[in-house]
Amino acid sequence: MGAELSRHVKRNLVAYIALLPMAIVVIFAYLGTMAWSVRLSFSSSKLLPRYDFVGADQYLTLFDTPRWLTSLGNLAVIAFFFLLICFLLGTLLAIFIDQNVRAESLFRTVFLYPYAMSFVVAGLIWQWVLNPDLGIQHTMHGFGFTDFVLDWVVNSEMVLYAVILATVWHGAGLVMALILAGLRGVDTEIWRATRIDGIPAWRVYVSIVLPMLRPMIITSLVLLSISIVKMYDVVVAMTNGGPGTASEVPAKFIMDNLFERANIGLATAASTVMLVTVLLVMAPVIYSQYFRKSGRAS
């Protein structure tokens, strides 16, 4: 075993050397800063870092802050509709393109193009579109439809749905691309057999094709979930968290306390909560993709 390991290392020595700088960056820049943030969350840091220990005081203060609780509630609403609509819309778009439609490359480009933009650009576009003084409402009033109202970005009851609309427009193309890649790998003999048996197309997708695309589905959901947890740019570009705190999200709460309110301890406590959230999202995926396979192999 030792000799085999030694041969493996010698054979891949150049590759390991090439990966060394990235490994150093991951260990020190990523893992190191994560550990440092977690440590500060247990301190009384304000404007500057302090290394005293106050236990869970920052976390107790955090979950006693109405603005933080509001941001968590907003994120839950955004996450539910964003994941549901993105997955359904992206899957339907992938199925549509997979039907050998004309101008397929054009459709792929149009549907995927929003994902190539940054969240800031996507947020600004929809801020302009939904702004009652600049966008669709203003245009419709110019055509004489003075009763037309589309003021989502300034309406506290609708602003979350404006954010959801912008993020779905941005993220559905990613799901489409991943699912389409999986559909192109489905054996054509499966389709022939189901046609002979007279199975409806929708049943084939639900019972046969989509279960085969499980890795693509998991990947798309994980990527979308992570983008939700760190959602900041699109909210700032569209609403800056307003009106009031109607569209406040955890990432904005963290940035405001870190840079504007000079409360490093509270900001790092909030970021640690979001880090744990990401780990909880990733844990089932890591287990299903690695540990369960290792158990089967053994």
Side-chain angles (χ1 to χ4, degrees):
M1 187 62 147
E4 182 180 348
L5 179 61
S6 178
R7 286 195 299 270
H8 174 78
V9 172
K10 290 179 181 179
R11 190 165 55 246
N12 298 281
L13 183 60
V14 175
Y16 288 139
I17 294 174
L19 289 173
L20 184 61
M22 181 56 67
I24 294 174
V25 170
V26 169
I27 293 172
F28 290 98
Y30 287 93
L31 299 181
T33 52
M34 287 181 191
W36 186 63
S37 296
V38 173
R39 171 64 185 88
L40 289 180
S41 71
F42 292 98
S43 71
S44 60
S45 301
K46 291 294 183 181
L47 177 62
L48 296 173
R50 299 177 63 181
Y51 296 99
D52 56 347
F53 184 77
V54 296
D57 286 358
Q58 297 289 4
Y59 294 91
L60 295 176
T61 302
L62 179 67
F63 283 96
D64 196 39
T65 303
R67 186 182 172 195
W68 171 251
L69 298 178
T70 299
S71 71
L72 290 180
N74 291 342
L75 189 67
V77 173
I78 293 172
F80 175 78
F81 287 104
F82 174 69
L83 289 175
L84 179 63
I85 300 173
C86 258
F87 178 74
L88 291 178
L89 181 60
T91 301
L92 292 174
L93 290 176
I95 293 173
F96 164 71
I97 293 177
D98 193 47
Q99 307 305 309
N100 296 319
V101 297
R102 293 182 179 180
E104 176 184 321
S105 59
L106 175 62
F107 282 115
R108 283 203 313 264
T109 302
V110 170
F111 295 147
L112 189 58
Y113 183 73
Y115 189 73
M117 300 180 183
S118 69
F119 260 137
V120 172
V121 175
L124 286 175
I125 289 173
W126 283 99
Q127 200 275 340
W128 293 333
V129 170
L130 299 177
N131 190 312
D133 297 324
L134 300 172
I136 296 176
Q137 177 176 306
H138 178 74
T139 303
M140 296 301 290
H141 287 184
F143 287 139
F145 300 98
T146 55
D147 293 332
F148 182 85
V149 177
L150 187 62
D151 59 349
W152 288 11
V153 293
V154 296
N155 187 330
S156 60
E157 295 182 358
M158 298 299 297
V159 67
L160 280 185
Y161 301 103
V163 174
I164 291 167
L165 178 61
T167 52
V168 167
W169 179 76
H170 183 271
L174 172 65
V175 180
M176 181 272 297
L178 292 171
I179 299 298
L180 181 60
L183 290 174
R184 291 295 161 84
V186 175
D187 192 346
T188 56
E189 293 299 324
I190 294 176
W191 289 108
R192 292 175 185 172
T194 56
R195 291 192 189 99
I196 292 173
D197 293 338
I199 303 175
W202 69 268
R203 185 63 180 272
V204 177
Y205 279 109
V206 172
S207 302
I208 300 175
V209 175
L210 289 181
M212 294 173 61
L213 304 183
R214 184 170 170 272
M216 289 76 177
I217 293 173
I218 291 176
T219 299
S220 62
L221 291 178
V222 168
L223 291 175
L224 293 177
S225 299
I226 293 175
S227 69
I228 291 171
V229 171
K230 65 179 184 179
M231 185 179 293
Y232 172 77
D233 301 350
V234 66
V235 172
V236 172
M238 286 187 70
T239 66
N240 199 32
T245 59
S247 60
E248 182 82 6
V249 289
K252 187 176 184 300
F253 177 91
I254 293 169
M255 297 298 287
D256 287 352
N257 278 277
L258 191 61
F259 294 107
E260 293 182 10
R261 298 171 181 249
N263 196 336
I264 294 176
L266 193 64
T268 52
S271 64
T272 301
V273 171
M274 301 313 296
L275 172 63
V276 172
T277 304
V278 172
L279 294 178
L280 291 176
V281 170
M282 293 297 296
V285 179
I286 295 173
Y287 174 78
S288 63
Q289 295 295 310
Y290 179 74
F291 290 104
R292 193 167 66 177
K293 290 181 180 179
S294 299
R296 289 176 180 175
S298 60

